C-alpha cells in the first residue's frame, strides 16, 4: 500500500513569481534614486544661471541688465532641497508614512517644474532692477530676452516628479533603514560570575579541566 510523503514539494511557480517583483523593486529603487538626485542637482544648478536679459534706459543711453533664476523666483531651488530631504526620508519611514513622504517628493518636483516654467516669461525681476538702477520707480526693461535655463530647471523638476511617482508606485517594495544597531535603552543582561570548582564534586573538576582551567584554584 502506498503512502503520502509529508515532505513539501517545491513550488516553482511561486518562486518564479517572486523573482520579477524583486527585480522590479531593484530597478525602480535605482531609477528613483538616480532621477531624484539628478533632478535636484539640475534644478539647483540651473536656477543659478541667467534666465533673462534686457536693457534699461539711463541718461539717453542703455544699461544691460541680467536676472538669474534666484532673482526671478527662489521656489524651484527651495523645492529641490525639500525633494532631496524627502528622497532620503523615504527609506526612513514605512507604510503610510512612506506614502506621505513619496507624495511630498512628487509635489516638490511638480512645484519646482511649474514655477520654473512660469518664470521663463517673467519680466518683473528685470523691471525691478531697472527701477533700482535708474532711480525711477516707473522704469521698465527694454529688449527683454529669455534664455533656455528656466526650461532646463523645469526638466529637473520633472525628474523629481517622476522619482516621486516611482516611490508612490513601488515604494512599499523598497528596503527600510536597518535598526539592527539601534539601542532600545534596555540594560544588557550581565553574565553570571564564574565560581571556582568544588573539590567535593568530581563533575566540577572535569568541567574545569575541559575548559583548560586549574581545578586547584
Amino acid at each position: 500500500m502506498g503512502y503520502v510523503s509529508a515532505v513539501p514539494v517545491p513550488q516553482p511557480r511561486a518562486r518564479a513569481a517572486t523573482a520579477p517583483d524583486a527585480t522590479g523593486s531593484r530597478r525602480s529603487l535605482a531609477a528613483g534614486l538616480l532621477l531624484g538626485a539628478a533632478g535636484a542637482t539640475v534644478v539647483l544648478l540651473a536656477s543659478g544661471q541667467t534666465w533673462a536679459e534686457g536693457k534699461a534706459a539711463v541718461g539717453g543711453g542703455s544699461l544691460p541688465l541680467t536676472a538669474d533664476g534666484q532673482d526671478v523666483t527662489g521656489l524651484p531651488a527651495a523645492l529641490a532641497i525639500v525633494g532631496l530631504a524627502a528622497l532620503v526620508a523615504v527609506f526612513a519611514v514605512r507604510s503610510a508614512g512612506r506614502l506621505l513622504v513619496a507624495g511630498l517628493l512628487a509635489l516638490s518636483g511638480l512645484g519646482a517644474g511649474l514655477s520654473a516654467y512660469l518664470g521663463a516669461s517673467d519680466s518683473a525681476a528685470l523691471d525691478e532692477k531697472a527701477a533700482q538702477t535708474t532711480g525711477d520707480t516707473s522704469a521698465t526693461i527694454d529688449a527683454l530676452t529669455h534664455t533656455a535655463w528656466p526650461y532646463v530647471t523645469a526638466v529637473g523638476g520633472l525628474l523629481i516628479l517622476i522619482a516621486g511617482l516611482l516611490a508612490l508606485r513601488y515604494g512599499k517594495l523598497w528596503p527600510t533603514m536597518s535598526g539592527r544597531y539601534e539601542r532600545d535603552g534596555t540594560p544588557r543582561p550581565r553574565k553570571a560570575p564564574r565560581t571556582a570548582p568544588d573539590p567535593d564534586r568530581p563533575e566540577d573538576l572535569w568541567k574545569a579541566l575541559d575548559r583548560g582551567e586549574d581545578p586547584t584554584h
Side-chain angles (χ1 to χ4, degrees), residues 54-58 63 65-66 123-142:
K55 296 180 179 180
V58 179
L63 177 67
L65 297 174
T66 61
S123 62
L126 278 180
D127 288 340
E128 182 178 353
K129 282 193 172 184
Q132 293 175 352
T133 302
T134 61
D136 182 3
T137 56
S138 62
T140 57
I141 201 73
D142 296 325

Side-chain angles (χ1 to χ4, degrees), residues 148-175:
W149 287 111
Y151 301 104
V152 176
T153 308
V155 171
L158 178 61
L159 296 180
I160 300 174
L161 172 60
I162 296 175
L165 295 178
L166 287 174
L168 286 172
R169 174 63 179 85
Y170 300 101
K172 61 182 179 181
L173 303 175
W174 294 355

